[in-house]
Amino acid sequence: MTDSRLEELWRGAAMKYPVCILSGVTKSDVIYEISEGADTLEKLKEKLPLCRNNECAAHSPAGRGCKENAEALLEIYAPVWKMMNENKCSCGKNKTK
């Protein structure tokens, strides 16, 4: 589970806020991939140039790397995206009951 301070940081962060200071991946990049179906860290790593061994943590003033940051964003936004799309068919329209 994500630290509440980290969750608060990411909820309030601008879309251009960096998730990885080495690769330049931003909050916007991660949220886009979540909207495209990436719902795990492994899937995000397939789509984005996140550090493989979280080496960016050593360069971060906060001591957190892209692994922790991406996991926090997944925890916040993946459930919301899933909920928003539960009742949609493949055409993107809401299913009728």
Side-chain angles (χ1 to χ4, degrees), residues 14-82:
M15 294 300 280
K16 64 182 179 180
Y17 198 85
V19 170
C20 179
I21 61 172
L22 294 181
S23 69
V25 171
T26 65
K27 177 182 177 181
S28 177
D29 298 326
V30 172
I31 291 175
Y32 174 78
E33 292 303 338
I34 290 171
S35 77
E36 291 292 306
D39 57 359
T40 65
L41 183 61
E42 292 73 28
K43 288 179 184 177
L44 282 176
K45 285 183 174 184
E46 289 173 8
K47 302 288 184 177
L48 297 169
L50 296 171
C51 298
R52 296 293 169 203
N53 297 313
N54 210 33
E55 55 266 17
C56 57
H59 303 279
S60 170
R64 284 186 311 271
C66 56
K67 177 184 183 293
E68 293 88 359
N69 293 329
E71 286 174 340
L73 289 168
L74 279 165
E75 235 179 84
I76 296 165
Y77 294 103
V80 173
W81 186 255
K82 181 180 178 184

